[in-house]
Amino acid sequence: MEPLRILQIHRYSDVYLGDFRDRHPEVELASRAAILNLLQKDGHEASQILAWHLDPDHFDARLAVSDFAELARASQQETGGRTRRRKEPIAEQIRDFQPDVIYLSSPVAGECEEISRLFENPCLMVGRWTPSRASGIDWGCFDLLVSDHDPGRSSSPPAVAIPFTILPPGYPAESFQPDEVDSSDCDVSCFGSWEDPSGEDGDRSKLLLELAKATLGQPREFDPGFFIQTSAPSSLPAGVSMYRRPPCFGAAAIRAMRGSRICVGGFANETTSTPLLDAVAGAALGVFQLVREDDSISANFSPGAEIETFSNTSELLDKIIHYLDHPEALRKIAENGRERCLREHTMSRRAGAFGEFVSREVLKRGSEKPRIAPPRKSKPGKRLETRRNKKGDHAGPAGKGTPKHHAGGNPGVSRRIKRAIARVFTRIFGKR
Amino acid sequence: MCGIAGIVHFNSETVSQTTLERFTHSLAHRGPDGWGVHVDGQVGLGHRRLAILDLAESGRCPMAYGRPGEEERYWITFNGEVYNFIELRRELSSLGHVFRSETDTEVVAASFAEWGESCLFRFNGMWAFAIWDSRSRELFLARDRFGVKPLYYTSGQRFAFASELKAFLSLENFVPNLNEALAEEALLHAQSFEGTHEETLLEGVHKLPAGHFMRVDECGKIRSRQWWNTADHLETPPRSYADQVEHWRELFLSAVAIRMRSDVPIGTSLSGGLDSSAVACAITWIADRSSVSERASRDWRHSFSATFPGTPLDESNYANLAAEAAGTRMHLTPSHEPPTAAELADSIWDMDDLYPAISVPVLRNYRRMRETGVYVSLDGHGADELLCGYTPWLGWPMNEVNPKLYDHFHLTLLPSILRNYDRASMAHGIESRMPLMDWRLVCFSFSLPAASKVGGGYTKRIFRDAVADLLPDSLRLRRSKIGFNSPMPEWFNQRLNGLLDPVIESETWKSTTYWDPQQSAAILRDRADAKSWRQEDWSELLKMWMRISFVIWKERFIHRQSQPFALPG
C-alpha cells in the first residue's frame, strides 16, 4: 500500500537564510539531501517542519523550501532540469513527487493560488493559518487549515468555513542534547524581533526597555542579552541597544539560549509562532524560561515546577534575581521542563495530529474528483530527460505521453489515492 | 576660584568705595583668603579671593596688568581657573609679556592684552571674569564655554555684576523684586530653567549665558555675543572603537593631570560611582607614574564622601572601595540624620536659587573638606550628560541620543547642576574642578557615535573601557545608578526637623498663587503624620521641596528676612 504523499513547502525568512549561508558556505555546492540535513540540524523553526516527523509507515513526506536558491540549484541538478525562475524548483518537485497533499507551512499571499494554477487538478491544499492581519492571504484558497493559534481568541479569524485543526505543540527535543552548550556571558536572554512598542506586538519591546532600565536600579546586578532583529537599529531605544547582541538563528540561537541562565519568553511573533510553541522549544532544549503568564502555558506545563511565569515587570525582576541566586532550583525546573517535552510535547505527537487530520479529510473526499499534477508540455524537438522514481528505477520519460499524467482524470493516481484512503481507513478503524 | 563683583556708572558718577566693598564682601564665603577693590572713576571692580595658585600677595585681585610701557592698563577681577596657564605663559613670554605673579589670573589678563576676545579660545578651564581696559574705557566680561562659573548682571542707570544673586541684595539702591513671570516657570521646570533663561528670579538681574562675552562702556553701551558653540568644534573621530577609546583615555588623563595644578592640597568628592571613582584613580595613576604636570599638587591623597547609612541612597561601600583603589584617605560625612531646620533653611540661602534637591549633604561634604584643609576638589560632573548616564534616557531612540545629550549638556540639565555645585562648593570656599568638562573631551565626546556611548551592556561605554586599567571592575562595571540625593522620604516623614510647619503656616506660603497652598499643606501634614512618604514618591517630594524652598528663598531674597521663621535648634 502506498503511503499518502505529502509535500510540505516551507518558506524561511531571507534574514535566516542569509545567516544560514554565512554559517554554512558549503551549501553553495552541497547536494539537496546534504542541505536539507543541515537545515534539520540547524533547528530553525523546527516545530514547523512536520515532514521530517510524519510516520513513514503511513506517509511519504518531503520538504521543499521556497526561495532558497542553493537548494533549488541542488534540486535542479538532481532532476536534470534547468532553473529559469526561483518558483520552478517547487513546480518541478511537485511534478516529480506527485503529492497527494501540499502543505504550505508558511504561506504568503497568492502562493496557494499560484500553486493551484500550475496544474489542472491540483491535489489537496493545506495551509498553516496565522492571525496576522498583514498577510493578505486568501485562506479560502485552501482545502484545509491547521494552526498553532486558536481562531476563537483572535481578532481576525479566518473568514471561511474550512476544516480547521489546532496542532498540539511539539519540538524535536531528542535532536538537541543538553551538553551541546556554548558558553555565554549572559545571565538573562531574550530573542525575537523588535516591534514598535505602541503597536499590537509591542509588549516584548516595552518589557525589554523596562528590563534594561531596571538593571540600572538593581543592587543585585545581572547581564541581559537581547538577541534582537531589527531593520532599523538606529531607532532602537538606547537601553535595548545597550544590551543588544547580534541576532542569531538556528543552532547559533540554540547555543546562545542554552548559554544564558534565564531565557525570558512569551512574546512570540504571531506570524511564525505562539508563546506556547516558543515555551515548548525552550523547555525541550533544557533552557530555564521565564515566560509571560498564559492559559496555554499553564495547561501544558506546571508553573513553578517545569517553567516559570510572570505577569508584570516587577515580578519578572524578582524572579530573575531569585533564580540567579538559586541556581539549583533553576536547573531543576529546566530539567523538569525538558522531561515534560520528551514525554508529551514531541514532534511525533504534533506531526501525528497533523497526519490524522489530513488523512481524515482525505477520507471524506474519497468520492470527489482526485487531484493530480499533469506534466509540463515540452517544446517540440526537445529531448526529454528521463526521471527516476524514489526507488531509482526509470519510470519512463517525464512529461507528455506518460499514462499517469493524462489531464482530466488519472486512473493511476486515483488508484493510489484510493489505496492511501484504504490504508488510512484501516489505520483509523482497524481491519474489517 | 573666588567671588567677583563690579559696578559701572553711566552717569559719570564715581563708584563709591564703600558701596563696592559692601557689594564685594557679600561674596566673602567664595573667597575667604583675601579681598580687594579697584576704583577708576565710574568703574569699580571687587574681588574675594580663594587662593589656589600663588598664595602670595602678588596674586591678589583685582590685578593690574599691562605690557611694558603700559603698566596697569588692564584691571582684572577673575573667578575660576585656566589650567593651561603655564603653557600660555610660556607663549606670552616669548611674545614679550612680563609676569609679576605665578597666577593664572595674570596670564588671562596678558592673553586678553595680546589676543583680545579671541584669547577665550585658548583657555582650558572655567571662568567668569571682567577686565577693565582703562585706555579704551571699556569693560570686557566673559564666561567659560559651558557656564561652570557664574556671572550675573543688572543694568539701567548703572551696570553691576557679581558671582551670585545674593550679592545684589547688598548693592546700594537695589530693590529686590520677584520676577513673577519667571517664578512659575522656575517652579515647574527647575532643572531646565537655568540653562534656558537669561532672566533670574530677581527682577532686573540677568545671567550672562555660558560661552558668551559682553562689552560695557562708560556711556551705557552694552553688547554681548556668543563666542563658543560646541557644534562648531566637533571633529572626525577614529573609525575603530578601540582607537576612539584610546583617544578618549588620553584626553581624560590630560584633563585630570592639568587639573592637579595647585599650590594647595587637592582631593576628590567620591560617591562610589564610576565618574568620581575614575577621577580619583586617575589622579593616583598620574601621580604614581610621575606624569604629574608642572605645579601639580603634591598633597592629593584625600577623598570625601557624604554617606547615608541605613537608607537606599547609601553608597559608602563603593566609596570606600574607590578610596582604597585610589590609595586616598577617606573622610566620610554621615548625612542620613535630618539636618536641623536652621541648616535646611540656610541651605536655600547658600544655593542662591531654586534647586530640586535638598543640598545639605553636598554642603556638609564641602564644609568637611574645608575643615580638613583641602581647598580643591576634583569632581566627576558632566559624564552622565556627555555619555548618556541616566536611566530614563535609555528610552531615547539611538538616533536621538546625541542630539538629546547635546541639549541636556548645554541647556536643559547640566547648567543647573553646575550652578548647584558652584554654590555648594563656594559656600565653604572650595574650588570644584571638573575634568570631564574639559572642552577637548567634550568636543571629542560629542563627535562620537551614540553606539560608542551606549552599548556592550553599559551606559558611558567608552568611559568604562578607557579606564579599564585604572580602577577595579567592581567599580568600573557597576551598573546601578543611585545618584547623589538626600533621603527626602525619611526627612519629610520627620517634618524636616521642625522646618515644615513654620513654612506652611507662613503668610508667604498661604498667599502663594503658584500652587494650592491649603491642599499642599494638608498633604505635607497628613503624610508626615502618617510617616507615609516613600522612595516611590520621589517626584512628589521634589515638587513639595521646590515649594518649601521657594517660600524660604522669597523670605530671604525678596523680603530680606535673615531669619524668617522661628525654628527649633
Side-chain angles (χ1 to χ4, degrees):
Chain A
M1 288 258 186
E2 280 193 39
L4 197 64
R5 292 192 175 199
I6 299 180
L7 179 69
Q8 176 177 359
I9 302 175
H10 191 72
R11 181 185 304 276
Y12 292 104
S13 69
D14 289 341
V15 175
Y16 167 66
L17 288 177
D19 179 80
F20 181 77
R21 287 185 188 101
D22 287 342
R23 288 183 288 119
H24 294 288
E26 68 273 26
V27 299
E28 209 171 319
L29 296 176
S31 67
R32 181 173 182 278
I35 295 173
L36 288 173
N37 189 43
L38 282 171
L39 281 171
Q40 186 169 14
K41 279 189 176 173
D42 204 39
H44 185 65
E45 294 178 353
S47 298
Q48 301 303 341
I49 313 301
L50 306 180
W52 290 330
H53 302 281
L54 285 165
D55 184 354
D57 286 342
H58 305 294
F59 303 98
D60 181 2
R62 293 191 184 181
L63 175 70
V65 179
S66 297
D67 293 343
F68 189 2
E70 288 82 355
L71 193 56
R73 184 255 333 136
S75 299
Q76 284 290 301
Q77 279 181 346
E78 283 163 22
T79 60
R82 288 181 192 167
T83 305
R84 286 205 201 92
R85 294 170 300 162
R86 289 171 90 186
K87 276 269 187 282
E88 278 295 306
I90 299 294
E92 289 278 343
Q93 288 181 70
I94 294 172
R95 272 188 283 272
D96 179 55
F97 183 50
Q98 296 286 300
D100 306 305
V101 176
I102 291 182
Y103 171 43
L104 299 182
S105 48
S106 49
V108 295
E111 187 176 19
C112 177
E113 294 88 328
E114 190 169 348
I115 289 176
S116 299
R117 274 197 298 273
L118 282 173
F119 313 101
E120 287 186 24
N121 293 300
C123 53
L124 208 67
M125 295 297 293
V126 184
R128 184 172 73 96
W129 175 77
T130 62
S132 172
R133 288 197 196 117
S135 67
I137 297 170
D138 177 11
W139 298 105
C141 174
F142 292 94
D143 298 302
L144 305 176
L145 292 175
V146 300
S147 184
D148 297 304
H149 296 82
D150 181 356
R153 295 171 70 174
S154 168
S155 56
S156 57
V160 289
I162 292 172
F164 185 104
T165 193
I166 300 173
L167 296 176
Y171 191 86
E174 62 284 355
S175 304
F176 303 95
Q177 297 305 315
D179 56 354
E180 293 167 16
V181 173
D182 207 6
S183 64
S184 166
D185 57 353
C186 172
D187 289 323
V188 178
S189 64
C190 196
F191 294 80
S193 56
W194 178 261
E195 308 291 340
D196 178 3
S198 59
E200 281 183 7
D201 296 321
D203 273 356
R204 171 177 37 222
S205 303
K206 285 182 209 156
L207 182 81
L208 289 179
L209 186 53
E210 286 175 32
L211 197 56
K213 287 183 179 180
T215 59
L216 267 63
Q218 288 291 327
R220 168 48 166 107
E221 297 198 2
F222 58 90
D223 280 319
F226 300 158
F227 298 85
I228 296 296
Q229 306 167 47
T230 176
S231 57
S234 65
S235 58
L236 280 178
V240 174
S241 185
M242 184 166 78
Y243 290 124
R244 187 170 177 236
R245 306 289 181 98
C248 50
F249 305 90
I254 290 169
R255 276 197 299 276
M257 203 182 296
R258 294 164 82 185
S260 70
R261 294 162 70 194
I262 298 174
C263 183
V264 175
F267 302 95
N269 183 322
E270 67 174 11
T271 59
T272 55
S273 191
T274 64
L276 174 60
L277 215 54
D278 280 0
V280 165
L285 291 167
V287 174
F288 174 83
Q289 299 179 92
L290 263 168
V291 302
R292 195 174 276 277
E293 268 180 8
D294 188 274
D295 289 344
S296 65
I297 301 289
S298 42
N300 288 275
F301 289 97
S302 178
E306 296 168 338
I307 203 166
E308 260 293 8
T309 62
F310 65 92
S311 55
N312 55 55
T313 313
S314 177
E315 188 181 1
L316 172 63
L317 277 167
D318 287 343
K319 287 188 174 177
I320 286 173
I321 302 300
H322 172 78
Y323 282 104
L324 288 178
D325 288 341
H326 295 85
E328 189 51 36
L330 180 156
R331 186 197 61 77
K332 190 65 189 161
I333 290 175
E335 193 179 285
N336 292 343
R338 177 171 162 84
E339 282 171 11
R340 178 77 181 258
C341 291
L342 285 166
R343 277 197 318 271
E344 288 181 34
H345 308 313
T346 62
M347 280 308 289
S348 60
R349 178 180 169 226
R350 179 173 166 82
F354 173 86
E356 284 195 26
F357 173 63
V358 169
S359 302
R360 205 160 38 240
E361 294 301 323
V362 166
L363 264 176
K364 285 182 194 168
R365 284 164 172 72
S367 59
E368 292 176 15
K369 191 175 184 182
R371 297 158 78 97
I372 55 172
R376 184 201 314 176
K377 294 184 190 314
S378 65
K379 288 184 179 173
K382 180 177 170 60
R383 184 170 180 274
L384 294 172
E385 305 267 356
T386 60
R387 65 171 176 84
R388 292 175 185 277
N389 64 15
K390 65 176 181 178
K391 292 182 184 174
D393 299 326
H394 273 281
K400 177 182 170 182
T402 307
K404 284 188 177 182
H405 299 285
H406 279 212
N410 189 319
V413 173
S414 177
R415 277 198 294 275
R416 186 160 49 80
I417 286 280
K418 285 178 180 171
R419 283 199 293 273
I421 290 170
R423 192 173 182 80
V424 169
F425 187 88
T426 303
R427 186 161 60 83
I428 294 174
F429 298 107
K431 278 195 173 180
R432 286 189 233 181
Chain B
M1 191 99 132
C2 316
I4 64 174
I7 300 170
V8 179
H9 283 303
F10 297 141
N11 57 1
S12 304
E13 182 185 331
T14 299
V15 171
S16 156
Q17 180 113 354
T18 309
T19 299
L20 183 60
E21 284 180 15
R22 187 165 59 242
F23 192 30
T24 303
H25 291 324
S26 67
L27 300 167
H29 53 280
R30 294 182 72 94
D33 300 327
W35 64 276
V37 294
H38 170 73
V39 176
D40 179 3
Q42 293 165 247
V43 175
L45 302 179
H47 189 263
R48 289 292 317 205
R49 188 182 184 198
L50 173 61
I52 304 295
L53 290 168
D54 188 357
L55 312 184
E57 188 63 17
S58 54
R60 195 170 163 223
C61 274
M63 183 185 288
Y65 181 80
R67 284 175 172 278
E70 53 175 26
E71 287 81 1
E72 299 200 2
R73 171 179 171 179
Y74 300 100
W75 284 84
I76 180 172
T77 183
F78 180 83
N79 169 217
E81 292 291 348
V82 171
Y83 306 110
N84 60 331
F85 73 99
I86 294 173
E87 290 77 13
L88 286 170
R89 184 186 166 115
R90 282 198 200 103
E91 186 179 356
L92 289 162
S93 294
S94 72
L95 294 170
H97 289 265
V98 176
F99 295 92
R100 291 174 294 181
S101 76
E102 299 296 320
T103 64
D104 58 332
T105 305
E106 194 177 13
V107 170
V108 169
S111 299
F112 182 76
E114 181 65 36
W115 296 303
E117 65 193 42
S118 67
C119 71
L120 298 171
F121 290 95
R122 296 170 180 267
F123 298 156
N124 185 350
M126 54 183 184
W127 64 85
F129 66 80
I131 294 178
W132 169 244
D133 184 339
S134 60
R135 182 187 293 177
S136 67
R137 309 302 293 175
E138 188 179 74
L139 186 69
F140 178 83
L141 305 99
R143 262 184 103 184
D144 61 71
R145 292 171 179 83
F146 312 120
V148 180
K149 289 292 114 188
L151 190 58
Y152 298 92
Y153 69 92
T154 183
S155 66
Q157 292 296 315
R158 63 180 170 189
F159 177 87
F161 68 89
S163 297
E164 295 186 15
L165 285 178
K166 61 171 69 69
F168 293 89
L169 304 183
S170 299
L171 182 64
E172 195 172 54
N173 298 324
F174 178 85
V175 179
N177 288 307
L178 179 66
N179 187 332
E180 299 273 359
L182 212 59
E184 189 167 8
E185 176 78 13
L187 284 163
L188 284 174
H189 306 291
Q191 206 74 281
S192 62
F193 171 79
E194 175 68 24
T196 55
H197 291 77
E198 290 184 35
E199 294 174 59
T200 70
L201 286 175
L202 281 180
E203 198 169 61
V205 179
H206 297 73
K207 59 175 83 84
L208 183 65
H212 281 64
F213 68 73
M214 179 179 275
R215 291 182 183 277
V216 181
D217 68 21
E218 288 177 314
C219 303
K221 190 173 171 188
I222 301 173
R223 294 160 292 151
S224 71
R225 192 160 70 83
Q226 183 177 7
W227 68 271
W228 176 260
N229 181 19
T230 303
D232 293 336
H233 299 272
L234 303 183
E235 52 189 279
T236 303
R239 285 185 69 95
S240 85
Y241 177 69
D243 289 341
Q244 291 171 9
V245 170
E246 186 55 37
H247 189 56
W248 202 96
R249 175 191 167 82
E250 284 169 7
L251 292 175
F252 172 65
L253 289 174
S254 171
V256 172
I258 60 172
R259 281 161 179 78
M260 291 171 68
R261 290 174 173 173
S262 167
D263 295 333
V264 298
I266 66 174
T268 51
S269 293
L270 272 183
S271 66
L274 168 71
D275 310 342
S276 55
S277 303
V279 169
C281 290
I283 292 172
T284 303
W285 189 91
I286 290 165
D288 285 351
R289 279 156 187 73
S290 303
S291 309
V292 289
S293 58
E294 214 174 317
R295 297 283 291 276
S297 176
R298 295 290 189 256
D299 186 359
W300 51 268
R301 291 187 187 273
H302 305 278
S303 290
F304 297 82
S305 185
T307 61
F308 306 95
T311 76
L313 299 176
D314 190 52
E315 298 182 84
S316 51
N317 56 331
Y318 288 108
N320 281 322
L321 199 57
E324 191 183 319
T328 57
R329 186 183 164 201
M330 181 53 127
H331 306 267
L332 293 176
T333 304
S335 297
H336 57 295
E337 294 295 332
T340 64
E343 193 177 3
L344 278 167
D346 286 344
S347 72
I348 308 302
W349 174 256
D350 289 336
M351 300 313 288
D352 206 45
D353 208 321
L354 298 184
Y355 186 69
I358 297 179
S359 302
V360 167
V362 179
L363 289 161
R364 284 179 178 174
N365 194 51
Y366 286 123
R367 184 173 67 214
R368 177 76 181 273
M369 213 177 270
R370 183 85 197 170
E371 289 165 354
T372 312
V374 173
Y375 304 145
V376 174
S377 178
L378 270 67
D379 299 338
H381 308 302
D384 291 323
E385 294 78 7
L386 265 183
L387 303 173
C388 201
Y390 293 115
T391 306
W393 296 356
L394 296 182
W396 295 343
M398 283 296 277
N399 55 11
E400 292 181 22
V401 165
N402 275 334
K404 286 189 188 305
L405 285 178
Y406 193 92
D407 278 349
H408 280 299
F409 184 92
H410 291 91
L411 294 173
T412 53
L413 178 59
L414 187 60
S416 68
I417 295 174
L418 294 176
R419 184 201 67 214
N420 187 44
Y421 278 90
D422 172 80
R423 303 303 184 275
S425 58
M426 295 310 291
H428 297 289
I430 298 294
E431 178 172 292
S432 173
R433 297 178 173 182
M434 304 171 188
L436 291 154
M437 301 289 298
D438 188 297
W439 75 270
R440 301 166 298 168
L441 193 61
V442 170
C443 289
F444 182 65
S445 296
F446 279 120
S447 305
L448 293 170
S452 297
K453 302 174 188 183
V454 184
Y458 294 96
T459 58
K460 299 188 281 191
R461 179 189 182 199
I462 195 166
F463 190 179
R464 297 178 199 266
D465 288 335
V467 296
D469 64 330
L470 298 187
L471 63 161
D473 283 355
S474 54
L475 294 168
R476 186 176 72 88
L477 300 180
R478 182 188 166 197
R479 283 201 186 99
S480 56
K481 178 80 176 165
I482 293 177
F484 189 71
N485 276 300
S486 304
M488 284 206 296
E490 290 83 349
W491 292 357
F492 268 72
N493 285 337
Q494 296 176 61
R495 311 185 89 86
L496 299 175
N497 228 354
L499 179 67
L500 184 66
D501 294 296
V503 169
I504 62 179
E505 286 164 12
S506 69
E507 192 50 41
T508 304
W509 177 281
K510 289 178 183 173
S511 62
T512 188
T513 56
Y514 298 118
W515 62 86
D516 184 332
Q518 283 184 325
Q519 185 188 62
S520 293
I523 291 171
L524 285 164
R525 271 194 216 100
D526 294 347
R527 296 204 65 171
D529 286 343
K531 297 196 187 315
S532 65
W533 290 109
R534 300 282 178 267
Q535 257 338 90
E536 47 267 34
D537 303 317
W538 195 262
S539 296
E540 183 73 9
L541 282 164
L542 283 181
K543 196 164 59 177
M544 290 300 183
W545 174 248
M546 286 295 292
R547 293 171 182 174
I548 291 168
S549 47
F550 175 74
V551 167
I552 299 171
W553 186 92
K554 195 174 175 186
E555 290 293 330
R556 294 294 300 263
F557 282 75
I558 307 300
H559 300 157
R560 308 187 74 156
Q561 298 294 315
S562 60
Q563 295 200 350
F565 308 106
L567 300 175

